[in-house]
C-alpha cells in the first residue's frame, strides 16, 4: 500500500511518492492544490485543451518569453498532456488514465464531466479506489451550483469583501485571490485525508470542495460574532475591532504595524513612543477601555509615529516584546532575511522562458529536502511520454490519436 510505510526505510522519501494525480483543473484554486501535491512527491498529470491550454497561459503581461508569469507561478512539478475531451477518443484517454491514477482533481461546472462519461460514478466503477476531488464555485448541488466559480464573485458573496477595506471606504478585493487559494488549500488537505481514509477502507471517495464554503468557513470569529451575538461586521482597514492599538500606522517614510495584544504591551508601546503620560489616563487602563476610547488614543499615537522613519521605529521596538513589523512592498518581501532563510524563492530552468523564480513551498519536513523542482510544462509537453509510459500505448495508437487531433504533442525540447 502506498501509505503502508513499506518504503519508509529510504531516506528523503517524499510523502506522496508513488501517488499519481490526474489534474483536470485550470486557473488558480485547482492548480494551486495540485502543485502542493506535486511538491510533496505526487506525479501530477495536467490535462490541457489543445491550442490554448490552461486559461492562465493567456493572463498577462507580464510574460517571460511567451509564457505567462501567472501560469508559471502555480504549475511547477507537473506533466502536461494535451487532450480534447470533446473528442470521443480524447475522453477515452482520460478514462484510461483515471483507471491507473490514485486521485483526480477537476474544476468543471457540476455535471459537465458526467456528460462526457467522466463523472465520479462512471470513473469509480472503473477504479473503485479513485479519490475524485471536485472544485466548484458553490458546491455540487443546490440553487447556485450551476453558476460558474470566480474568486472575485465568491469573495463578494461570502462576505470577504464586506469586511475588507478602509473603515470609511468601499469594499475591497484582497490583493491576491484569497478565496481561490483557501479553496486550493482545503482541496489539498481533503485529498490527503482521503488518501489516509482509503488506506483504511480500500475505497475512494468523491470530495465536494467549493469557493463559497471555503471562504465562509474562513470567516471564523467574524461569523461567530454574528451567529452568536447578532453582531454585523464592518470594515476596519488595518485595525482590529476588539484590540487597541492593533493596526498599521503611517511613519515618516512608510508604514508600521503594531500589535499590542495586552495591557503590558500597551505600556511598552507608550515607553517606546515616549508617551508615558498615556499610561496614567484612566480611560486607557484596559484593552476594553482603549477600544471604547480608540479615536482619541489612535490620533495621539498616529501623530507620534509620523515623526520618525519606519526603520528607526523598528530599531526602537526591538527587544520590547511588542509585536511590530513594516508593511513591506514586494521588493522588500524578497529582500527580507527570514524570507530568504525560509527558501521562499524557488528558481528553475524553463525550456523556453529560461531561468525563472516563483514563491517556494511554505512547509518544511524534517524527513526530506525539496527536490530540484521541474519547471511548469509547455502545453502538451508530455503527451506522448504519458501515453507511452503510463498507458503503454504503442507508436501506431499514439500516431492515430495525434492525427485525429484527439491529443496533441508539443515538440519544443
Amino acid at each position: 500500500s502506498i501509505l503502508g510505510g513499506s518504503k519508509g526505510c529510504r531516506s528523503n522519501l517524499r510523502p506522496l511518492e508513488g501517488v499519481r494525480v490526474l489534474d483536470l483543473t485550470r486557473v488558480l484554486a485547482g492548480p494551486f492544490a495540485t502543485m502542493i501535491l506535486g511538491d510533496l512527491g505526487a506525479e501530477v498529470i495536467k490535462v490541457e485543451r489543445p491550442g490554448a491550454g490552461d486559461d492562465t497561459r493567456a493572463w498577462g503581461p507580464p510574460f517571460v518569453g511567451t509564457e505567462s508569469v501567472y501560469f508559471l507561478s502555480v504549475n511547477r512539478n507537473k506533466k502536461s498532456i494535451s487532450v480534447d475531451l470533446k473528442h470521443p477518443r480524447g475522453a477515452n484517454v482520460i478514462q484510461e488514465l483515471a483507471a491507473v491514477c490514485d486521485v483526480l482533481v477537476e474544476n468543471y461546472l457540476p455535471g459537465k464531466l458526467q456528460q462526457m462519461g467522466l463523472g465520479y460514478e462512471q470513473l469509480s466503477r472503473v477504479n473503485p479506489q479513485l479519490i475524485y476531488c471536485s472544485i466548484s464555485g458553490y458546491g455540487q448541488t443546490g440553487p447556485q451550483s450551476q453558476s460558474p466559480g470566480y474568486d472575485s464573485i465568491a469573495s463578494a458573496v461570502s462576505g470577504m469583501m464586506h469586511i475588507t477595506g478602509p473603515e470609511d471606504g468601499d469594499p475591497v478585493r484582497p490583493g491576491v485571490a484569497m478565496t481561490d487559494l483557501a479553496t486550493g488549500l482545503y482541496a489539498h488537505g481533503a485529498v490527503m485525508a482521503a488518501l489516509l481514509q482509503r488506506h483504511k477502507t480500500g475505497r475512494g471517495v468523491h470530495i465536494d470542495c467549493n469557493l463559497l464554503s471555503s471562504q465562509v468557513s474562513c470567516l471564523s470569529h467574524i461569523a461567530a460574532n454574528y451567529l452568536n451575538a447578532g453582531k454585523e461586521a464592518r470594515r476596519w482597514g488595518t485595525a482590529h475591532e476588539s484590540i487597541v492599538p492593533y493596526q498599521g500606522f503611517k511613519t515618516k517614510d512608510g508604514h508600521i504595524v503594531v500589535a499590542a495584544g495586552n495591557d503590558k504591551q500597551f505600556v511598552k508601546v507608550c515607553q517606546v513612543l515616549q508617551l508615558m503620560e498615556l499610561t496614567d489616563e484612566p480611560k486607557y487602563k484596559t484593552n476594553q477601555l482603549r477600544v471604547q476610547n480608540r479615536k482619541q488614543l489612535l490620533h495621539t499615537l498616529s501623530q507620534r509615529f509620523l515623526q520618525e522613519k519606519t526603520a528607526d521605529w523598528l530599531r526602537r521596538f526591538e527587544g520590547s516584546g511588542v509585536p511590530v513589523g513594516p508593511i513591506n512592498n514586494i521588493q522588500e518581501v524578497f529582500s527580507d532575511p527570514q524570507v530568504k532563510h525560509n527558501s521562499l524563492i524557488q528558481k528553475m530552468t524553463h525550456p523556453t522562458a529560461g531561468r525563472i523564480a516563483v514563491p517556494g513551498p511554505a512547509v518544511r519536513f524534517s524527513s526530506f529536502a525539496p527536490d530540484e523542482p521541474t519547471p511548469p510544462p509547455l502545453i502538451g509537453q508530455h503527451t506522448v511520454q504519458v501515453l507511452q509510459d503510463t498507458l503503454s500505448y504503442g507508436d501506431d495508437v499514439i500516431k492515430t490519436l495525434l492525427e485525429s487531433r484527439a491529443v496533441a504533442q508539443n515538440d519544443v525540447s
Side-chain angles (χ1 to χ4, degrees):
S1 162
I2 203 62
L3 293 170
S6 58
K7 296 180 185 175
C9 56
R10 205 184 99 204
S11 63
N12 215 36
L13 180 74
R14 292 182 295 167
L16 294 185
E17 271 187 50
V19 172
R20 188 180 285 144
V21 177
L22 187 58
D23 181 3
L24 292 166
T25 68
R26 301 135 297 164
V27 189
L28 184 54
F32 187 58
T34 56
M35 179 178 71
I36 299 170
L37 299 175
D39 288 343
L40 295 174
E43 178 191 4
V44 180
I45 300 170
K46 181 179 178 73
V47 179
E48 299 191 73
R49 65 183 187 275
D54 188 316
D55 299 28
T56 59
R57 287 188 182 274
W59 287 9
F63 293 91
V64 184
T66 56
E67 296 295 312
S68 142
V69 171
Y70 197 119
F71 177 84
L72 295 176
S73 72
V74 285
N75 285 288
R76 65 172 172 258
N77 291 325
K78 299 177 188 180
K79 297 172 182 173
S80 171
I81 66 167
S82 191
V83 183
D84 182 356
L85 298 192
K86 292 177 181 172
H87 195 296
R89 286 180 179 173
N92 186 56
V93 167
I94 301 303
Q95 284 170 349
E96 294 199 9
L97 279 169
V100 294
C101 283
D102 300 282
V103 178
L104 183 151
V105 189
E106 59 90 10
N107 66 343
Y108 283 76
L109 211 56
K112 191 80 176 163
L113 286 178
Q114 198 171 354
Q115 292 165 17
M116 303 177 195
L118 302 172
Y120 171 66
E121 266 73 29
Q122 294 143 319
L123 294 182
S124 66
R125 280 198 288 271
V126 180
N127 180 1
Q129 291 194 315
L130 183 67
I131 291 159
Y132 190 112
C133 179
S134 294
I135 298 174
S136 61
Y138 301 92
Q140 293 300 297
T141 57
Q144 285 288 107
S145 63
Q146 290 304 300
S147 300
Y150 288 94
D151 172 272
S152 57
I153 310 301
S155 181
V157 174
S158 68
M160 174 71 149
M161 282 193 194
H162 175 70
I163 59 173
T164 305
E167 193 173 342
D168 302 315
D170 292 331
V172 165
R173 177 181 173 272
V176 289
M178 281 313 304
T179 303
D180 266 345
L181 295 167
T183 307
L185 287 167
Y186 266 120
H188 141 253
V191 166
M192 300 295 270
L195 284 165
L196 274 173
Q197 186 184 43
R198 189 184 74 172
H199 180 54
K200 296 172 187 170
T201 65
R203 294 197 62 79
V205 66
H206 188 196
I207 297 166
D208 175 357
C209 210
N210 65 82
L211 304 187
L212 178 69
S213 296
S214 298
Q215 190 55 72
V216 170
S217 77
C218 285
L219 291 176
S220 65
H221 72 283
I222 299 294
N225 287 350
Y226 169 73
L227 294 171
N228 295 286
K231 186 173 171 29
E232 180 54 84
R234 49 174 282 203
R235 289 181 287 287
W236 287 98
T238 64
H240 196 292
E241 64 176 324
S242 309
I243 313 170
V244 173
Y246 196 102
Q247 65 180 74
F249 293 94
K250 261 188 183 171
T251 65
K252 212 171 193 176
D253 65 345
H255 293 83
I256 187 171
V257 174
V258 177
N262 58 48
D263 297 336
K264 197 174 160 188
Q265 288 178 342
F266 173 64
V267 172
K268 289 282 190 183
V269 169
C270 295
Q271 280 175 351
V272 172
L273 268 57
Q274 296 173 329
L275 293 171
M276 283 306 286
E277 64 273 18
L278 295 176
T279 61
D280 298 326
E281 288 271 6
K283 60 186 176 185
Y284 302 147
K285 283 287 183 194
T286 67
N287 178 67
Q288 192 172 348
L289 289 166
R290 290 193 294 278
V291 170
Q292 287 166 9
N293 299 291
R294 73 164 63 222
K295 204 165 188 179
Q296 197 179 337
L297 173 58
L298 291 173
H299 175 74
T300 306
L301 297 179
S302 297
Q303 293 302 111
R304 180 72 182 102
F305 275 112
L306 281 169
Q307 293 168 15
E308 310 277 354
K309 291 182 176 178
T310 302
D312 295 328
W313 283 126
L314 292 172
R315 267 194 296 277
R316 289 184 185 214
F317 272 103
E318 212 166 297
S320 68
V322 178
V324 297
I327 297 184
N328 285 331
N329 63 28
I330 306 305
Q331 181 186 357
E332 289 163 339
V333 170
F334 288 104
S335 305
D336 185 288
Q338 191 65 47
V339 169
K340 289 179 176 175
H341 174 82
N342 289 0
S343 304
L344 288 169
I345 304 169
Q346 192 166 57
K347 294 178 179 174
M348 58 198 107
T349 303
H350 186 274
T352 61
R355 201 72 178 149
I356 61 168
V358 298
V363 179
R364 299 273 168 230
F365 292 75
S366 63
S367 55
F368 76 98
D371 285 355
E372 180 72 24
T374 59
L378 303 168
I379 302 170
Q381 184 180 337
H382 305 94
T383 303
V384 170
Q385 182 196 324
V386 168
L387 296 179
Q388 282 174 340
D389 298 351
T390 309
L391 293 180
S392 304
Y393 282 6
D395 292 347
D396 291 350
V397 176
I398 293 171
K399 188 166 177 275
T400 307
L401 284 169
L402 289 166
E403 284 170 355
S404 71
R405 297 194 175 172
V407 304
Q409 167 69 27
N410 191 319
D411 290 320
V412 177
S413 56

